[in-house]
Amino acid sequence: DANFRMERQELITQLHAEQCSCIIHNKGITHSFHERGVKDLHRLLTQEPTLLDGASLADKVVGKGAAALMIAGGVKWVYADVISEAAMVLFEQSRVEVQYKQIVPNIINRAGTDICPVEKLCQECKTAEECLPLIDKFITDMNR
């Protein structure tokens, strides 16, 4: 429907205008996030899961770990500037509608030297659920 399309386009525009990492729109309210990697999504899934449930989300980079968190959270629509093939595979198994600018074989780490650590961590996982405990441990270790 036209309202949905306009709302989604506004999210994409806002993502780029605000230079944030992620924008989530749910129940008429838009929230923007600035943490790197999967930190914001992980925090939302563990502390404010209702924000993700049924949400539309625009993100700069979506790898397999981010996709797993979005799927687990019940996100309905995702836009990504860049998405990995592994993330797309997970989304195709779910009910999430995906729109993207560019698809890449893997998300690369910030140094540009290797595959993103979370993407690498989740490589062998077949489902979003299998990724979650690995991401939990990664975040916990990172915060030590």
Side-chain angles (χ1 to χ4, degrees), residues 93-114:
Q93 299 168 3
S94 73
R95 290 195 170 84
V96 182
E97 193 186 323
V98 182
Q99 196 181 327
Y100 59 87
K101 193 186 288 178
Q102 186 188 7
I103 187 162
V104 295
N106 295 292
I107 301 302
I108 302 303
N109 66 12
R110 280 191 283 282
T113 54
D114 197 1

Side-chain angles (χ1 to χ4, degrees), residues 23-81:
I23 294 214
I24 298 173
H25 182 83
N26 201 355
K27 297 171 187 77
I29 302 166
T30 302
H31 307 264
S32 47
F33 299 92
H34 299 84
E35 286 274 8
R36 292 179 153 183
V38 296
K39 273 194 203 153
D40 283 322
L41 286 170
H42 183 267
R43 185 178 47 75
L44 289 172
L45 184 63
T46 53
Q47 294 168 23
E48 296 179 75
T50 54
L51 195 59
L52 292 172
D53 193 25
S56 294
L57 188 152
D59 202 321
K60 293 225 167 96
V61 179
V62 177
K64 191 171 183 178
L69 293 166
M70 291 172 193
I71 292 164
V75 170
K76 290 282 177 255
W77 176 85
V78 173
Y79 165 82
D81 280 341

Side-chain angles (χ1 to χ4, degrees), residues 121-141:
L121 199 63
C122 298
Q123 253 171 348
E124 301 303 313
C125 300
K126 300 276 179 260
T127 65
E129 290 70 34
E130 284 177 35
C131 297
L132 299 179
L134 302 178
I135 297 168
D136 278 338
K137 184 180 180 330
F138 177 81
I139 300 274
T140 304
D141 292 348

